[in-house]
Amino acid sequence: MNTAILGTGSYLPETVLTSTELSRRLGLGDQWIYDKTGIAERRVAAPAEATSDLATRAAEHALRAANLAATDIDLLIVATSTPDQPIPATACAVQANLGAMRAAAFDVDSVCSGFVYALVTAHALLEADPLPRNALVIGADTYSRILNYEDRRTCVLFGDGAGAVVLGKRGGGRGLLSSALGSDGTTADFVTVPGGGSRRPASEETLAAGEHYFAMRGRQVRDLAARVLPDLVVDVAKAAELEVSEVDLIVPHQANGRMLEDLAKTLDLRPEQMHLTVERYGNTGAASVPITLDDAVRSGRLFDDDVVLLVAFGGGMSWGGATLRWTRPRKPGEPR
C-alpha cells in the first residue's frame, strides 16, 4: 500500500485585483508589476472570508473529486501562515465546517512550503498507522490581511486562495515515491511578520511601527531559492530513481513568474514540463502548490501513471519537494 492523491480541489475568492490597478495605486507604470513578476492579477478575499472559509471550500471540492464524504477523513491538516486566529488551529474550524468529526486536525506553518510539509507529514502518519485510511491536506492563505498595500516590495506579489488534496492508501505502486524537506533558521529574518507574537506582543508601539505587516528581503529570498531549488528538484527526482527529464509535470510554488523562468532555464525543462498559475493568481502562500496542482488536473495536464513533482520554498527559510506517481481519480459509484 502507498499514499496516493485521490482528488484535488481549489477555491479562489471572487474579487480580482489586477496588476494594472495596483500599479496605478502605487504610482507605477501600468506594466511595472507584470514586467517584474509575471503576475497579471490576483484574488482578494471578501471582508467576511477568513482562511478557514477558503480552506473549507477547497476541501469540499477535493472531497467531491475523490468521491468521499467528510466522515471518511481520518486526518485533516491545514498549512497556513495566516490562521483565522492564533488559537485554536484553523484546521479545527475547517473540521467543524465540513463535519469531519472522525479526523484529527492540526495546522502546519512552514509559510509557502507549508503544503509540501503537510503532505509529507500526512503520508508519514498514514504509513505509520494501519488504522487511518484517508487524509485531507489543505494549503490556505489570506495574505491580503497582512500586506501593506503601500509597500511595492511585497503587496505586488501576493493573493488569497486555498487548495486541497485527499490522500488515501492505495496499491499498485501509485502515490508518493520520494520526498525531501529542509530549512535554515539562520535566514529566518528573510520573511517575517515581526509583531503580534510572544517576542513582540501587540501594542501601540508595534502597531505604529507597522510590525503586523508582512515583510520580506526579496533579493536574499530570490538568491536562496536560486541556490536551493534546482538541486532540490534533481535530488527528489533521483530519490525516485528518475532523471528530471523523465518527470512528466513539475508543479512549483508560484512565487514569482520571473523566478520560475530562471528555474526552468537552469534545469533545462521543456515548456510543457512545468505548470504555472502565477500570472492569474500570484503567490498564494501555502495554497500555491495545491491550487496549481488542481489547475493542472482540471486542465487535463495529468494522466494515469504520470510522475508529478511538487516543489516549494518559504519563510524560515524552509523548502520541500515530493514526487508522486499519479493515479486516476475514482469515478462516482466506482468501488473503493
Side-chain angles (χ1 to χ4, degrees), residues 272-296:
E272 71 276 9
Q273 208 174 356
M274 184 183 288
H275 193 72
L276 304 178
T277 57
V278 65
E279 182 173 357
R280 289 174 285 152
Y281 305 135
N283 181 343
T284 52
S288 168
V289 168
I291 285 173
T292 305
L293 178 62
D294 182 54
D295 190 81

Side-chain angles (χ1 to χ4, degrees), residues 1-7 63 66 68-76 102-104 122-137 165-172 330 335-336:
M1 302 298 289
N2 204 357
T3 307
I5 292 179
L6 309 182
L63 286 166
L68 291 175
T71 51
D72 294 317
I73 299 300
D74 303 294
L75 176 67
L76 194 163
R102 292 181 54 243
H123 164 74
L125 290 172
L126 289 177
E127 292 279 293
D129 190 336
L131 294 180
R133 299 288 301 177
N134 301 303
L136 181 57
V137 182
V165 301
V166 175
L167 297 179
K169 294 179 179 178
R170 293 294 181 268
R330 187 188 300 109
R336 295 177 186 173

Side-chain angles (χ1 to χ4, degrees), residues 43-258:
R43 301 299 180 89
V44 178
E49 285 183 315
T51 296
S52 65
D53 300 313
L54 277 57
T56 299
R57 295 286 295 275
E60 290 170 342
H61 296 160
L63 286 166
R64 281 198 293 272
N67 192 26
L68 291 175
T71 51
D72 294 317
I73 299 300
D74 303 294
L75 176 67
L76 194 163
I77 307 176
V78 173
T80 186
S81 53
T82 55
D84 285 12
Q85 55 202 55
I87 298 172
T90 297
C92 292
V94 176
Q95 181 205 42
N97 291 344
L98 294 172
M101 303 316 294
R102 292 181 54 243
F106 62 92
D107 289 357
V108 167
D109 181 3
S110 292
V111 198
C112 296
S113 58
F115 175 79
V116 176
Y117 268 69
L119 181 75
V120 173
T121 299
H123 164 74
L125 290 172
L126 289 177
E127 292 279 293
D129 190 336
L131 294 180
R133 299 288 301 177
N134 301 303
L136 181 57
V137 182
I138 308 165
D141 270 309
T142 316
Y143 271 100
S144 62
R145 303 292 159 76
I146 60 170
L147 290 175
N148 177 358
Y149 280 95
E150 296 179 359
D151 180 6
R152 70 182 189 183
R153 297 169 299 180
T154 56
C155 73
V156 301
L157 293 169
F158 293 92
D160 301 337
V165 301
V166 175
L167 297 179
K169 294 179 179 178
R170 293 294 181 268
R174 307 298 175 87
L176 197 140
L177 304 176
S178 66
S179 64
L181 304 175
S183 56
D184 179 3
T186 66
T187 61
D189 62 340
F190 286 8
V191 176
T192 62
V193 177
S198 61
R199 175 78 56 193
R200 297 280 293 165
S203 67
E204 291 183 6
E205 180 185 357
T206 61
L207 288 171
E211 293 183 4
H212 301 273
Y213 288 129
F214 179 93
M216 182 172 66
R217 297 169 64 182
R219 173 52 60 186
Q220 287 86 342
V221 170
R222 187 162 183 163
D223 288 348
L224 184 144
R227 186 172 70 251
V228 170
L229 287 186
D231 288 344
L232 178 60
V233 171
V234 171
D235 291 346
V236 174
K238 188 175 294 184
E241 301 183 347
L242 296 165
E243 299 295 327
V244 173
S245 60
E246 297 177 285
V247 174
D248 295 291
L249 193 67
I250 296 174
V251 177
H253 169 46
Q254 309 289 298
N256 179 309
R258 306 309 173 214

